[in-house]
Amino acid sequence: GDIVLLAKPVTLTEGDRVTLTTDVPVATDGTSKPEKLLYAVSLPPVHGQIEHINYPGVPISSYSQLDVVAQKVSDVHDNSHGAGKELVR
C-alpha cells in the first residue's frame, strides 16, 4: 500500500534534546499494523544525533513506530558552539 509520512519541524538549540512523539513523525502504510513500521535515519542531524533513550550518547540508524509511541527516541543537539539552531524534520 501507499506510505504516508507526516512530520512537523522541531527546532533545537545548542544542547537541547527533543523526544520524538507521534506528533513529530507519524506514518501509516495503509495496513492494520502501523506498529510494524520502521524508520531509517538516511540523513542524520548535522549538529547532533538520533539516540534511543536507553542508550544515551550512542547514535542509532533506525527505529520503529513502537519506539516513537513509547517515546524512546530522541534527537540530541551536540553542543557545538556556533551551530545555532537545527531544524529536525
Side-chain angles (χ1 to χ4, degrees):
D2 295 331
I3 295 175
V4 177
L5 176 64
L6 303 172
K8 292 180 184 177
V10 176
T11 302
L12 295 176
T13 56
E14 188 175 315
D16 280 351
R17 168 188 295 268
V18 65
T19 299
L20 302 185
T21 66
T22 54
D23 288 342
V24 179
V26 61
T28 181
D29 67 352
T31 69
S32 61
K33 298 188 186 256
E35 67 277 4
K36 301 257 184 189
L37 290 173
L38 297 176
Y39 295 90
V41 180
S42 58
L43 186 60
V46 175
H47 299 289
Q49 59 194 22
I50 305 294
E51 300 177 352
H52 191 281
I53 63 165
N54 292 345
Y55 305 100
V58 179
I60 58 174
S61 59
S62 64
Y63 54 92
S64 71
Q65 181 73 14
L66 282 178
D67 291 330
V68 174
V69 169
Q71 298 183 2
K72 299 282 187 179
V73 181
S74 294
D75 184 331
V76 182
H77 195 285
D78 67 5
N79 287 326
S80 56
H81 297 294
K85 294 183 178 181
E86 179 163 75
L87 186 63
V88 179
R89 292 180 192 237

